[in-house]
Amino acid sequence: MSDPAPIPREIRRLGVNAVRIVWQDDHQAEYGNRYLRDNCPCAECRENPRRSLPIVGQDEDVYPVQIGIVGRYAVSMQWSDGHDSGIYSYRTLRDLCPCSTCTGAGSEELKH
Amino acid sequence: MQVTVDLIRERLAEVRPAGLRRDIVAAGMVRDVRLEGSRVHIAMLRGPLPEPVLKATLEEIRKSVGAFDGVDSVEVEVAEATGAPQEVGPIPGVASIVAVSSTKGGVGKSTVAANLACALARGGAKVGLLDADIYGPSMPTMFGLSTRPEVVNGNKVRPLEAHGVRFVSMGLFLDDSSPVIWRGPLVTGVVRQFLKDVDWGELDVLVVDLPPGTGDAQLTLVQHVPVTGAVIVTTPQDVSLIDVERGMAMFRQVNTPILGVVENMSGLVCSSCGHHDPLFGEGGGEALAERFGVPLLAKIPIEEAVRRAGDQGTPLVAADEAQAVSQVYIELATRVRGALEESAASNPLPKIVG
Ligand SMILES: [Zn+2]
Ligand SMILES: [Zn+2]
Ligand SMILES: [Zn+2]
């Protein structure tokens, strides 16, 4: 059986740019809105992937209008572009974590 | 030129708050525009705007819409667009939710759910019962009420109430002619509708009677209902470890804590002397609890009176609380409430802010 999924303690919208997630294990990171939007896990978006870099402040033309709790395992995001079918499981959000620890060397390259 | 809603929208599409790359219409912030005589009413979402930007934006809206000939007043209503208040859980007014499940049919799950609900109510809790057993809704029979719940305030469903329990059967909302094939999307739709549309009022505990099994329908339900804790009902003669394992895996997958196991029909209580005979051998629930590390919450003896009471439209706990079985349920209710409180405290939902 897999490890229990991590659970966020707080999900905070940071203005037009980003969403900060603080996890119950104190891990935390800021997710750029465009990055989160492009990684929408819904079937439609997965079929038409759009890649963006996991950095904040890049091309932020979209933001979550509403974030809702779905059961005990996920949140729903209603984006300002009208898209609202993605259910982001906590597992998915953690896997997407853009912090340098989670992304390893990749994030170092982005800085240069 | 006569002012129209379309013209107002066009003008709103010129408003672009600082820091936003799009105008407020394109960004989905304008929810409604109404024109009543010379008065304009605009409903908008605050979106991500910080306070000073919001203020400036509202000022700009009032000025530019107010500049139309024939407009005397511009009223802008701004809704905060974060998630629902989180302290009480995502179903407004419902403090905690316990799911009653079983990995197969025929273990008396619905009887347990109904009696648990009555016992919780008897203990002073405000209790709701969502009969989500779409394959065989049994609550209407058990509570002696099969009328369709009323729809109030246009679109809110008001639960029926009996024996201190407010209850709704999802099955009552199905067209009788619709085949009982519940596929994911259909269940998802109905569940979302229910979470939104049933007006439970204030509840301490909502008991959800899940359909037996661990298929798509069950998974969809537990995915969307923010269950505080789950109870697994089993019978001693029928303990299939693989089934239970499957049930537990399903709840784990959606981060739902398991409160414990209820062993139903765990023996026969003699109706003349109250003497308890283990009917199928002792210890199924205990072995289960030990193996999976969850507590055995109750062993409920078989009693003819339970079934009879159920058939007559009154769960036994409500019909005769002096019965030995009723006492077992009352004890179960106390444990479940304690476990729910513990679970809610140690598994808080994320706070959504900003
Ligand atoms: Zn999507
Ligand atoms: Zn990280
Ligand atoms: Zn006897």
Side-chain angles (χ1 to χ4, degrees):
Chain A
M1 206 164 286
S2 61
D3 291 342
I7 299 168
R9 188 188 304 139
E10 184 184 281
I11 300 174
R12 181 181 288 271
R13 297 188 309 164
L14 302 172
V16 288
N17 290 325
V19 170
R20 183 200 292 135
I21 301 180
V22 183
W23 299 87
Q24 282 184 5
D25 61 7
D26 292 328
H27 195 85
Q28 60 169 293
E30 288 178 16
Y31 296 64
N33 285 335
R34 176 40 76 186
Y35 170 63
L36 263 184
R37 170 65 184 88
D38 286 350
N39 282 286
C40 173
C42 86
E44 187 195 328
C45 293
R46 269 188 322 209
E47 266 173 39
N48 310 289
R50 230 191 94 155
R51 286 280 155 255
S52 59
L53 302 173
I55 47 175
V56 177
Q58 157 218 263
D59 200 18
E60 311 290 1
D61 55 346
V62 69
Y63 63 90
V65 175
Q66 192 147 21
I67 301 178
I69 300 245
V70 179
R72 288 204 158 262
Y73 79 111
V75 289
S76 62
M77 300 236 179
Q78 188 194 326
W79 292 99
S80 54
D81 59 9
H83 189 65
D84 65 357
S85 47
I87 303 282
Y88 294 73
S89 74
Y90 300 152
R91 168 72 62 200
T92 300
L93 286 173
R94 184 66 174 241
D95 288 347
L96 287 172
C97 182
C99 86
S100 54
T101 315
C102 295
T103 50
S107 67
E108 289 304 309
E109 276 163 32
L110 289 177
K111 282 184 196 145
H112 304 301
Chain B
M1 185 165 53
Q2 186 68 32
V3 63
T4 63
V5 168
D6 285 342
L7 285 174
I8 294 170
R9 278 188 176 276
E10 262 172 44
R11 204 157 279 187
L12 290 174
E14 288 162 14
V15 177
R16 215 194 70 198
L20 210 61
R21 280 170 187 251
R22 318 167 128 203
D23 65 79
I24 57 174
V25 175
M29 290 165 70
V30 175
R31 282 303 149 122
D32 191 33
V33 178
R34 274 182 294 138
L35 181 62
E36 284 153 6
S38 62
R39 293 174 14 188
V40 179
H41 183 98
I42 298 164
M44 63 178 274
L45 290 171
R46 174 170 177 169
L49 303 183
E51 196 59 40
V53 178
L54 177 68
K55 255 177 116 178
T57 305
L58 293 180
E59 196 47 48
E60 193 184 338
I61 291 173
R62 287 199 195 95
K63 233 171 109 190
S64 82
V65 176
F68 275 114
D69 279 341
V71 171
D72 288 335
S73 77
V74 181
E75 190 193 334
V76 189
E77 187 192 324
V78 182
E80 293 290 334
T82 37
Q86 292 311 313
E87 302 306 334
V88 289
I91 305 182
V94 177
S96 65
I97 302 174
V98 55
V100 179
S101 73
S102 65
T103 46
K104 55 176 66 167
V107 300
K109 172 187 53 62
S110 296
T111 306
V112 171
N115 279 287
L116 171 62
C118 287
L120 285 163
R122 181 196 161 279
K126 292 191 203 89
V127 181
L129 177 58
L130 173 58
D131 177 9
D133 192 343
I134 44 191
Y135 299 113
S138 48
M139 294 311 161
T141 323
M142 253 181 269
F143 282 86
L145 286 170
S146 56
T147 43
R148 255 176 104 108
E150 252 183 285
V151 175
V152 293
N153 299 335
N155 57 356
K156 285 284 184 187
V157 174
R158 178 180 293 157
L160 300 170
E161 186 159 354
H163 314 302
V165 174
R166 290 168 223 168
F167 71 97
V168 172
S169 278
M170 281 175 48
L172 289 184
F173 288 82
L174 296 175
D175 185 350
D176 280 343
S177 65
S178 68
V180 193
I181 301 167
W182 282 76
R183 300 200 187 282
L186 179 54
V187 177
T188 307
V190 174
V191 171
R192 280 203 180 151
Q193 189 95 11
F194 258 81
L195 295 183
K196 236 177 51 223
D197 293 351
V198 178
D199 182 11
W200 292 105
E202 294 285 313
L203 289 185
D204 296 311
V205 186
L206 176 64
V207 179
V208 180
D209 183 18
L210 290 176
T214 51
D216 276 358
Q218 290 81 358
L219 186 63
T220 306
L221 276 158
V222 293
Q223 269 177 341
H224 286 88
V225 182
V227 175
T228 315
V231 168
I232 296 176
V233 181
T234 182
T235 59
Q237 78 274 27
D238 200 33
V239 173
S240 152
L241 291 177
I242 290 162
D243 277 351
V244 175
E245 212 152 340
R246 215 172 272 154
M248 305 202 44
M250 176 178 80
F251 287 115
R252 289 223 173 96
Q253 202 183 328
V254 295
N255 281 358
T256 299
I258 294 155
L259 304 182
V261 174
V262 170
E263 189 181 273
N264 194 27
M265 302 190 265
S266 77
L268 197 61
V269 172
C270 170
S271 51
S272 50
C273 75
H275 156 89
H276 178 264
D277 256 339
L279 196 61
F280 305 109
E282 296 257 330
E286 273 141 6
L288 202 76
E290 196 166 305
R291 160 137 188 193
F292 295 107
V294 293
L296 178 63
L297 294 168
K299 296 167 75 139
I300 298 165
I302 292 186
E303 197 168 26
E304 190 47 20
V306 177
R307 206 182 45 74
R308 226 175 24 237
D311 289 347
Q312 286 165 3
T314 307
L316 185 68
V317 172
D320 183 358
E321 69 174 57
Q323 294 271 351
V325 180
S326 301
Q327 289 303 313
V328 175
Y329 274 117
I330 287 163
E331 216 170 288
L332 170 66
T334 310
R335 285 198 187 155
V336 165
R337 268 209 95 172
L340 281 175
E341 243 150 69
E342 239 169 72
S343 171
S346 56
N347 302 284
L349 292 166
K351 283 194 169 42
I352 294 179
V353 284

